[in-house]
């Protein structure tokens, strides 16, 4: 269950977004099973395809610091309805999160929707055997 504090951290993270092209900031707050919090924002590039989404920034920051076990993710966007993560981010979530891990999506009005990773990306490609 996302606390107000975690939601505010995701919103705060969106203030660091580098979004000169879309002007669409996203912020994320990722909690490890040990209780550490990694935040992330989207980082755009003039070569548009190099853009990194806010969710993936948070996940990559955590993994690069040695954390791979997570308990929840909060994603904030300035959308009317709770923001919907892109397909690439859902695939990266499926790589690192258990299927029942909660992801809380937050709108600009701070309304929320909680979904599991399994709901966000059913029948995901994670097994190469
Ligand atoms: N974006 C994210 O950061 N996360 C998503 O799940 C959806 C899209 C970013 C990418 C780009 O910087 C901007 O939102 C517009 O697509």
């Amino acid at each position: 269950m996302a606390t107000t504090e975690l939601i505010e951290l995701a919103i705060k993270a969106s203030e660091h977004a580098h979004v000169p092209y879309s002007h669409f900031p996203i912020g994320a707050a990722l909690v490890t099973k040990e209780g550490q919090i990694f935040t992330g924002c989207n980082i755009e590039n003039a070569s548009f395809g190099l853009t990194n989404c806010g969710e993936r920034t948070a996940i990559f920051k955590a993994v690069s610091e040695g954390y791979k076990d997570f308990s929840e993710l909060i994603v904030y966007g300035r959308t009317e309805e709770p923001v919907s993560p892109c397909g690439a981010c859902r695939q990266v979530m499926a790589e690192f999160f258990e299927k029942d891990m909660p992801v809380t999506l937050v709108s600009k009005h701070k309304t929320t929707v909680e979904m599991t990773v399994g709901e966000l990306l059913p029948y995901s490609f994670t097994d190469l055997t």
Side-chain angles (χ1 to χ4, degrees):
M1 182 59 184
T3 61
T4 307
E5 182 198 0
L6 286 169
I7 291 172
E8 291 302 324
L9 281 174
I11 293 171
K12 187 87 188 151
S14 77
E15 293 170 11
H16 298 301
H18 176 72
V19 288
Y21 308 105
S22 75
H23 306 286
F24 186 70
I26 295 280
L30 176 63
V31 185
T32 71
K33 283 191 177 163
E34 297 94 337
Q36 291 92 337
I37 300 168
F38 289 87
T39 60
C41 60
N42 48 338
I43 304 168
E44 297 183 345
N45 191 277
S47 179
F48 294 167
L50 298 181
T51 292
N52 206 63
C53 291
E55 303 91 311
R56 279 181 287 141
T57 300
I59 295 167
F60 294 158
K61 279 174 67 180
V63 173
S64 70
E65 299 285 332
Y67 297 93
K68 283 190 179 175
D69 298 316
F70 304 110
S71 58
E72 65 176 313
L73 173 70
I74 291 85
V75 188
Y76 165 80
R78 287 187 197 158
T79 43
E80 285 294 329
E81 301 296 327
V83 68
S84 176
C86 81
C89 287
R90 292 175 196 221
Q91 179 67 29
V92 173
M93 290 178 204
E95 179 75 23
F96 293 106
F97 302 168
E98 287 151 14
K99 282 193 192 319
D100 62 352
M101 197 189 101
V103 178
T104 300
L105 309 170
V106 186
S107 76
K108 67 177 175 186
H109 306 296
K110 299 190 188 179
T111 56
T112 62
V113 165
E114 187 179 299
M115 299 183 74
T116 66
V117 175
E119 289 168 334
L120 284 166
L121 190 64
Y123 199 58
S124 60
F125 175 63
T126 49
D127 184 359
L128 278 63
T129 59

